[in-house]
Amino acid sequence: MKPKSLSCQLFETIRDRIVHGEYPPGMTLPEKDLCEEFQVSRTPLREAFLRLQDMKLLSVIPRLGTTVRPIDIQEIRDAFEVKVRLEGLTGELAAERISPAHLQELDDVIREGALLLREGENDRHYRLIEIEGRFHEIVRRAARNAVLRELLDNLHFRCARLWSASLSEVVPDREIIHQMREVYTALQERNAEAARRHMEEHVHYFIEKIKEGLF
């Protein structure tokens, strides 16, 4: 596997800090401070900033600075409308194209989630959100459509900030595991219709739970 570029590593680190609230909405991200923290020049950092700006996670204003964008509820609603349909298509394509290796990866992730619930760790909500994200990433790889994967990767992290902020108190952990198992079974049986339906239902479920958490 080709090693990740420095700008890609910075992009992923800063993206995850934004998604998990370490960098909250409105926070200014001084280039000088980040360059010192990561021991990098401004060039790879600015490349990472531009990618995060494209994902609607940062606002980069020349000569004024870089700030974390506020969460736009209407934008998130629009994103979810698209995400539901695309996740369904991903499930359908994955059911047709999934490999035994991908199925094993999905089974391992589900088992990891189930073990996490049995252990009852204090941060299990946030870890489960991360596990659920990995589950979807595997399904996207299994679908073997680079354009679809790129679109959904972008949508996932734009929506994930809202998930991290609102889901920890309202989403039953065991229900998430159950839904992932339903998707897994449909993919294992290569049932494209069921895979599409379960993927769409899973996203709809999260949407409703987010509404509960916010309103």
Side-chain angles (χ1 to χ4, degrees):
M1 181 180 295
K2 183 179 178 181
K4 294 179 181 178
S5 67
L6 185 55
S7 65
C8 183
Q9 295 175 47
L10 291 168
F11 162 76
E12 292 182 353
T13 299
I14 297 170
R15 176 200 67 198
D16 290 346
R17 290 182 181 184
I18 293 171
V19 167
H20 296 298
E22 187 175 344
Y23 293 163
M27 180 177 178
T28 298
L29 303 182
E31 288 186 5
K32 182 176 181 295
D33 293 349
L34 289 175
C35 286
E36 290 178 356
E37 177 185 351
F38 296 116
Q39 294 296 296
V40 298
S41 67
R42 292 180 185 267
T43 298
L45 182 64
R46 286 175 177 173
E47 290 174 356
F49 277 177
L50 287 174
R51 290 184 64 186
L52 291 163
Q53 185 179 32
D54 288 341
M55 289 184 72
K56 312 294 186 185
L57 294 178
L58 288 182
S59 293
V60 180
I61 304 175
R63 294 183 297 279
L64 293 179
T66 300
T67 59
V68 179
R69 285 190 57 168
I71 295 175
D72 184 327
I73 299 301
Q74 184 56 53
E75 180 183 301
I76 295 298
R77 285 174 176 158
D78 292 343
F80 267 120
E81 285 184 356
V82 178
K83 182 175 172 61
V84 169
R85 300 290 180 162
L86 293 185
E87 290 287 10
L89 176 58
T90 302
E92 183 178 340
L93 293 177
E96 298 168 356
R97 302 171 180 177
I98 197 164
S99 69
H102 287 134
L103 284 170
Q104 184 60 58
E105 284 186 73
L106 290 173
D107 187 51
D108 290 343
V109 167
I110 293 171
R111 290 176 184 274
E112 182 181 348
L115 178 62
L116 177 66
L117 298 191
R118 288 198 296 272
E119 292 175 346
E121 296 183 21
N122 291 333
D123 66 344
R124 67 183 181 277
H125 295 292
Y126 295 102
R127 287 189 58 196
L128 190 60
I129 289 173
E130 185 270 331
I131 287 171
E132 194 268 350
R134 277 194 280 134
F135 181 89
H136 279 270
E137 191 273 334
I138 296 166
V139 177
R140 290 196 285 274
R141 283 194 280 112
R144 305 187 190 194
N145 184 304
V147 173
L148 184 58
R149 182 178 175 183
E150 181 181 1
L151 290 170
L152 278 170
D153 281 348
N154 185 302
L155 287 171
H156 170 77
F157 289 105
R158 288 170 64 180
C159 296
R161 267 204 303 170
L162 192 59
W163 299 355
S164 296
S166 62
L167 289 184
S168 62
E169 300 301 325
V170 296
V171 175
D173 296 339
R174 296 189 186 282
E175 183 62 26
I176 297 176
I177 300 298
H178 173 69
Q179 291 173 3
M180 289 195 291
R181 288 193 188 281
E182 287 184 323
V183 172
Y184 173 81
T185 298
L187 295 175
Q188 186 180 45
E189 295 174 351
R190 298 193 177 275
N191 187 331
E193 181 180 351
R196 171 189 282 275
R197 184 177 70 255
H198 288 311
M199 289 288 281
E200 290 184 349
E201 288 174 349
H202 181 61
V203 178
H204 273 300
Y205 176 83
F206 270 75
I207 293 172
E208 292 306 311
K209 289 301 178 181
I210 286 172
K211 288 179 181 177
E212 289 180 25
L214 290 177
F215 308 111

